[in-house]
Amino acid sequence: MRRRPKRRGASHSSLLRGAREEELLAALRQAEKEIERLRVIERTRKQSQQMLERLTCDLKERVKELNCLYSISNMVERPDISLEEVLQGTVNIIPDAWQYPEITCSRIALHDRTYQTANYRDTEWRQSKGIVVGGKEIGSLDVCYLEKRPDRDEGPFLKEERSLINVIAERIGEIIERRRAEDALRESEAQNKALVSAIPDMMLWLDEKGVVLGLHVGQIADLPPGFTDIVGKALHVLCNNKILPRRFVEQTMLYVERTLATEMPH
């Protein structure tokens, strides 16, 4: 029996197909790797974009907070503004510093008076901070949202807004305390001036070097020429210019030295 010869062409074709399949599989695996790499890049890009947007938003909020504090400070430094105007101006400034100014209202409630925005209403979405003057709480600063908003760090409020309301309430306490001290000083000065004006005798205010700081002539009428211009001048100069007698200057400086040494008036 004669054997049939092997078909070499069919075997070669099978080898080519196998090689081709391997190439395609390798290309497919490479394509899958490239697709995954691009997916990672896209995810990273989106994450970076989200982070950038979040940082930009946070920066805008911090700028709003700084503007709030800056505006309050500028208002307080105005020489012609009253305490009532400062407190009302403060509650009007506050809403713009919060996340949702269009639904934000604020109020300063003191024991004897209340200052608030025109749209103020107590709601369940509120931040509060006590106002302390002289170690005693005399009222509170309140910030409310008029509508519900998503929960953040403190209800719908940011932790930075908690820090901000704390700072503003502390600043309000300092403003009230300073204004009250200034009012008390003015009243005391007015009373002292009235008392001094009623004294008939002449009075001099001197520093430790004998320089005249103030003068009250009382009811003395016949003063030497130039006597009312002695403020800001030293006693020894006035003595040399014959405006004050030497004995008066020596006795006065002796009183000054004793007062400084004993811290008691003479």
Side-chain angles (χ1 to χ4, degrees):
M1 179 182 295
R2 297 176 61 184
R3 293 183 178 179
R4 298 176 61 182
K6 294 182 179 180
R7 298 177 61 183
R8 294 182 179 178
S11 177
H12 181 69
S13 177
S14 296
L15 290 173
L16 289 176
R17 281 200 303 271
R20 182 59 178 164
E21 288 174 358
E22 286 296 326
E23 290 177 3
L24 290 174
L25 288 173
L28 180 59
R29 286 193 292 269
Q30 183 63 33
E32 289 174 345
K33 289 181 180 180
E34 182 65 15
I35 290 171
E36 182 58 28
R37 187 182 71 82
L38 293 174
R39 284 174 177 168
V40 170
I41 292 174
E42 180 63 15
R43 283 198 298 268
T44 303
R45 188 193 66 78
K46 287 182 178 179
Q47 290 172 356
S48 299
Q49 181 65 27
Q50 290 170 354
M51 181 177 293
L52 178 60
E53 290 174 357
R54 185 166 59 252
L55 291 174
T56 301
C57 181
D58 290 345
L59 179 60
K60 288 180 180 178
E61 292 299 318
R62 301 299 81 76
V63 170
K64 286 163 58 178
E65 293 162 8
L66 288 174
N67 284 339
C68 173
L69 295 174
Y70 182 74
S71 297
I72 293 173
S73 295
N74 273 352
M75 178 175 58
V76 170
E77 296 306 318
R78 283 171 45 192
D80 59 336
I81 193 167
S82 67
L83 177 59
E84 288 73 20
E85 290 172 323
V86 168
L87 297 178
Q88 184 60 53
T90 298
V91 297
N92 291 338
I93 289 170
I94 286 174
D96 283 340
W98 262 248
Q99 285 184 91
Y100 311 105
E102 68 280 0
I103 59 163
T104 302
C105 57
S106 63
R107 175 183 68 180
I108 295 173
L110 304 179
H111 292 333
D112 55 349
R113 186 146 184 202
T114 298
Y115 307 85
Q116 62 188 39
T117 53
N119 65 337
Y120 186 82
R121 188 173 77 249
D122 271 323
T123 70
E124 59 184 294
W125 310 290
R126 178 173 64 180
Q127 283 185 310
S128 294
K129 179 62 179 177
I131 296 172
V132 178
V133 174
K136 296 181 180 180
E137 187 169 311
I138 65 165
S140 66
L141 170 62
D142 306 304
V143 177
C144 297
Y145 283 157
L146 300 175
E147 299 174 8
K148 182 177 176 59
R149 285 295 183 269
D151 283 344
R152 296 297 297 269
D153 303 308
E154 183 184 329
F157 300 101
L158 299 171
K159 62 181 183 295
E160 290 84 3
E161 290 168 338
R162 164 51 59 188
S163 298
L164 182 58
I165 193 174
N166 291 349
V167 170
I168 296 174
E170 182 179 353
R171 182 79 172 106
I172 291 170
E174 293 171 352
I175 292 168
I176 293 174
E177 189 167 6
R178 189 181 78 179
R179 288 299 182 97
R180 287 181 176 178
E182 290 172 351
D183 291 343
L185 178 61
R186 280 193 293 268
E187 183 177 352
S188 176
E189 289 176 344
Q191 291 176 349
N192 290 339
K193 187 175 181 180
L195 289 172
V196 170
S197 298
I199 297 175
D201 299 327
M202 183 180 70
M203 297 177 64
L204 295 176
W205 286 266
L206 306 171
D207 67 8
E208 69 277 7
K209 295 180 180 179
V211 176
V212 180
L213 303 178
L215 168 67
H216 170 68
V217 297
Q219 297 178 1
I220 300 176
D222 53 340
L223 295 171
F227 190 85
T228 54
D229 298 326
I230 67 174
V231 176
K233 298 176 182 177
L235 288 183
H236 69 87
V237 173
L238 299 173
C239 176
N240 293 338
N241 293 340
K242 310 298 184 182
I243 295 177
L244 291 176
R246 183 172 297 278
R247 181 174 178 78
F248 172 83
V249 170
E250 291 174 351
Q251 189 67 41
T252 299
M253 289 307 300
L254 180 61
Y255 289 153
V256 170
E257 291 170 3
R258 288 178 179 175
T259 298
L260 292 174
T262 62
E263 297 184 356
M264 294 289 291
H266 289 78

